[in-house]
């Protein structure tokens, strides 16, 4: 069965510092992979997605993620964090043919220090 | 509409009552999903509608949960005889249903069963 693991429940970084959020997945086929962000009281916003092609994908708000098949990972990165990036981040794998039925990781809550 | 609309945004109900949650997807989106977000279980898939096909109900936690989608557009999630463990945020999402496009999520309905 498919699963997604986000090893870090909480991460705190200083504003302007770089960020990497880890995501590991288990899925028997070529995965559709997604990162979503959720601000307090809000729904989920798609940051970026991968399903083929270049393994380094660019998303909105300056985020990028790299798909590494050998490590079953899809880590999210940002070179310089802004205070407005404080939120919860979810990694997900799409498990149906259309890749949109999502299995989510447990989420990583990001706090940004001034 | 411009986004996925869910109503009500908040619902408090007494244990044992039935509730209906509504989702109005983005116009033209053929796929519609319901997810549940709770403290103990994280984000869970509930049910998936794609066009005129029979829905995938594999995520529904019990037979007290049901959903329908009328005219390929608006969907209603019904929970009968609500229990306290049903308290959660219920999120609706829609997409074009094509490979790996990613879902657009609504802001959710926060259900509290007292």
């Amino acid at each position: 069965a498919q699963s997604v693991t986000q090893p870090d429940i909480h991460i705190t970084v200083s504003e302007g510092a770089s960020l990497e959020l880890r995501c590991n997945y288990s899925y028997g086929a070529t995965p559709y992979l997604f990162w979503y962000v959720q601000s307090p009281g809000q729904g989920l916003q798609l940051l970026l997605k991968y399903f083929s092609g270049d393994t380094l994908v660019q998303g909105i708000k300056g985020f990028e993620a790299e798909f590494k098949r050998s490590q079953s990972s899809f880590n999210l990165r940002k070179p310089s964090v802004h205070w407005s990036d404080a939120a919860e981040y979810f990694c997900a794998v799409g498990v149906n043919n259309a890749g949109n039925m999502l299995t989510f990781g447990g989420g990583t809550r990001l706090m940004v220090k001034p | 509409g411009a986004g996925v609309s869910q109503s009500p945004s908040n619902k408090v109900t007494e244990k044992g009552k039935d509730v209906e949650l509504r989702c109005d997807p983005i116009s033209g989106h053929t796929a519609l999903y319901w997810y549940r977000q709770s403290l103990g279980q994280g984000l869970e898939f509930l049910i998936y509608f794609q066009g005129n096909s029979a829905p995938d109900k594999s995520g529904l936690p019990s037979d007290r949960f049901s959903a329908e989608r009328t005219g390929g557009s608006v969907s209603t999630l019904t929970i009968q005889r609500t229990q306290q463990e049903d308290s959660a945020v219920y999120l609706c999402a829609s997409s074009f249903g094509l490979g790996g496009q990613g879902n657009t999520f609504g802001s959710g309905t926060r259900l509290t069963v007292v």
Side-chain angles (χ1 to χ4, degrees):
Chain A
Q2 67 281 349
S3 66
V4 179
T5 302
Q6 294 179 246
D8 304 305
I9 297 174
H10 293 97
I11 282 185
T12 301
V13 299
S14 297
E15 190 167 18
S18 63
L19 171 70
E20 182 169 28
L21 302 183
R22 295 183 291 165
C23 173
N24 292 96
Y25 68 90
S26 173
Y27 186 54
T30 301
Y32 293 97
L33 293 163
F34 304 86
W35 275 98
Y36 283 86
V37 61
Q38 186 177 36
S39 299
Q42 301 298 312
L44 295 160
Q45 182 182 21
L46 179 66
L47 284 176
L48 46 77
K49 59 183 185 280
Y50 169 82
F51 55 94
S52 67
D54 193 346
T55 56
L56 183 64
V57 293
Q58 303 297 319
I60 62 171
K61 304 186 180 187
F63 285 93
E64 67 178 26
E66 186 171 13
F67 170 60
K68 293 186 177 180
R69 185 185 299 276
S70 62
Q71 297 177 20
S72 298
S73 69
F74 189 57
N75 294 349
L76 182 71
R77 301 194 294 249
K78 186 169 184 177
S80 177
V81 170
H82 187 263
W83 64 266
S84 60
D85 293 324
E88 188 149 22
Y89 292 80
F90 292 93
C91 181
V93 59
V95 299
N96 61 337
N97 287 338
N100 288 330
M101 184 189 302
L102 303 177
T103 293
F104 286 90
T108 297
R109 182 167 298 279
L110 173 66
M111 290 172 280
V112 180
K113 293 189 300 185
Chain B
V4 177
S5 178
Q6 292 189 245
S7 60
S9 55
N10 283 282
K11 176 74 176 178
V12 180
T13 190
E14 293 180 352
K15 178 181 173 182
K17 301 283 190 183
D18 298 352
V19 294
E20 287 189 350
L21 312 180
R22 176 187 167 101
C23 173
D24 198 345
I26 291 173
S27 178
H29 279 189
T30 58
L32 186 147
Y33 301 80
W34 284 97
Y35 293 86
R36 178 169 72 173
Q37 185 173 27
S38 58
L39 283 175
Q41 302 298 321
L43 273 157
E44 308 170 275
F45 162 77
L46 295 178
I47 188 169
Y48 161 45
F49 296 88
Q50 172 59 58
N52 295 321
S53 303
D56 182 332
K57 306 179 182 180
S58 59
L60 294 178
S62 78
D63 59 7
R64 296 186 295 105
F65 288 72
S66 63
E68 63 177 21
R69 188 179 185 191
T70 54
S73 181
V74 171
S75 177
T76 302
L77 177 70
T78 301
I79 309 174
Q80 295 178 310
R81 304 181 302 282
T82 52
Q83 303 295 312
Q84 288 186 329
E85 61 263 29
D86 300 334
S87 296
V89 176
Y90 290 82
L91 293 166
C92 177
S94 70
S95 75
F96 284 111
L98 302 176
Q101 295 302 305
N103 295 325
T104 301
F105 281 81
S107 297
T109 294
R110 180 175 297 277
L111 175 67
T112 305
V113 182
V114 297

